[in-house]
Each structure stands twice: as C-alpha cells, then as structure tokens.
C-alpha cells in the first residue's frame, strides 16, 4: 500500500501496531483500547493528510467479501470523529477503498457474521484507488 501511495505522489509513514515493540503489541492484545485499531499508515500530499488501515489480509475464502471486526469499525468511527477533518480509509486487497461510515452503510442491510463480531464487506460499491488517491500518471505529470 505504501508503494502505491508513493507512486501517486503521497509521502507515507507507518503508524499503529506495526511500529510498536513486541511488548507493547502484546499488552495491546490484552486490552480493549482503541489504540489496538490505530491506522497502519499516515500520508500527506501537499496540505492533504490522510490515514489508511489496510484490510488486505481478511478476504473470505468462499465469497468476495472481506471481514472487518465490529470493534475495528467502532474504533474507526471514533478515530474519524476525534481527528476530523483527517479521513480514515480502509483499503482492501483488491485496492478498493471505503471509509468506516461507508462500511456501516453498505453492510447495514447485509447479513452479518453469526456472532455479530464482523461486518462482511463486498467491495463492488467501493471507490477505486485511483479515484481516491489519484492515478500514477497524474502524480508523475504534476
């Protein structure tokens, strides 16, 4: 994801659990803190600032849906409210993009996982990566 954003002219820096030492990650696993769900990346292009949470590791093996935990969505909504106007984007393995609010909207009428712990997200209504972050050609031309 970082390379795709850089190719579109974004400066990208990792954040969240992927940057923490193992002891901190283990402690976070033992808590319900929203810090567990902090975005994976922060990026800037000019005065635009965005955050990204990559969701490429949760595809269903039987459908074309991705599973996002309800806790992740709730933390994403809180993050978006607390850090407005900086958006949070979920980027899926097929390079489609949704915000936490869009996930709620698009899955509100859909079947949820039996446990209620996951939203099963189809990306057919999601935004294309180029539409949200710009195209590779446009970044090179700028």
């Amino acid at each position: 994801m970082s390379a795709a954003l850089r190719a579109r002219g974004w400066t990208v820096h990792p954040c969240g659990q992927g940057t923490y030492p193992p002891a901190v990650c283990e402690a976070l696993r033992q808590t319900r803190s929203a810090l567990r769900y902090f975005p994976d990346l922060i990026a800037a292009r000019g005065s635009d600032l965005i955050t990204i949470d990559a969701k490429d590791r949760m595809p269903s093996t039987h459908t074309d849906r991705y599973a996002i935990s309800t806790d992740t969505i709730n933390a994403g909504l809180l993050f978006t409210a607390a850090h407005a106007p900086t958006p949070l984007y979920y980027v899926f393995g097929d390079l489609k993009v949704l915000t936490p609010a869009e996930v709620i909207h698009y899955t509100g009428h859909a079947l949820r996982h039996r446990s209620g712990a996951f939203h099963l997200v189809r990306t057919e209504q999601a935004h294309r990566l180029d539409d949200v972050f710009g195209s590779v050609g446009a970044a090179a031309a700028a």
Side-chain angles (χ1 to χ4, degrees):
M1 188 66 240
S2 294
L5 287 171
R6 284 187 189 101
R8 288 162 175 78
W10 293 88
T11 300
V12 183
H13 191 75
C15 57
Q17 284 197 63
T19 64
Y20 303 149
V24 173
C25 290
E26 181 58 32
L28 280 173
R29 278 193 280 281
Q30 306 302 318
T31 183
R32 294 183 51 117
S33 171
L35 288 173
R36 291 180 61 187
Y37 310 103
F38 206 76
D40 301 317
L41 302 170
I42 188 167
R45 185 174 61 191
S47 63
D48 292 329
L49 182 67
I50 60 168
T51 57
I52 304 285
D53 198 355
K55 297 296 176 198
D56 58 347
R57 295 186 204 123
M58 297 289 287
S60 169
T61 56
H62 303 295
T63 68
D64 59 349
R65 296 181 292 186
Y66 291 83
I68 302 179
S69 76
T70 299
D71 290 341
T72 297
I73 295 295
N74 290 338
L77 292 168
L78 289 171
F79 179 91
T80 302
H83 300 285
T86 303
L88 169 62
Y89 295 108
Y90 296 134
V91 179
F92 299 92
D94 60 359
L95 298 181
K96 296 284 187 79
V97 181
L98 289 171
T99 66
E102 289 172 327
V103 170
I104 293 292
H105 175 74
Y106 293 140
T107 62
H109 62 280
L111 291 175
R112 292 202 29 214
H113 189 270
R114 286 184 297 270
S115 69
F118 290 91
H119 290 266
L120 301 174
V121 180
R122 290 183 186 262
T123 59
E124 60 201 20
Q125 292 179 298
H127 311 280
R128 293 181 34 236
L129 192 74
D130 287 349
D131 294 341
V132 177
F133 305 115
S135 64
V136 174

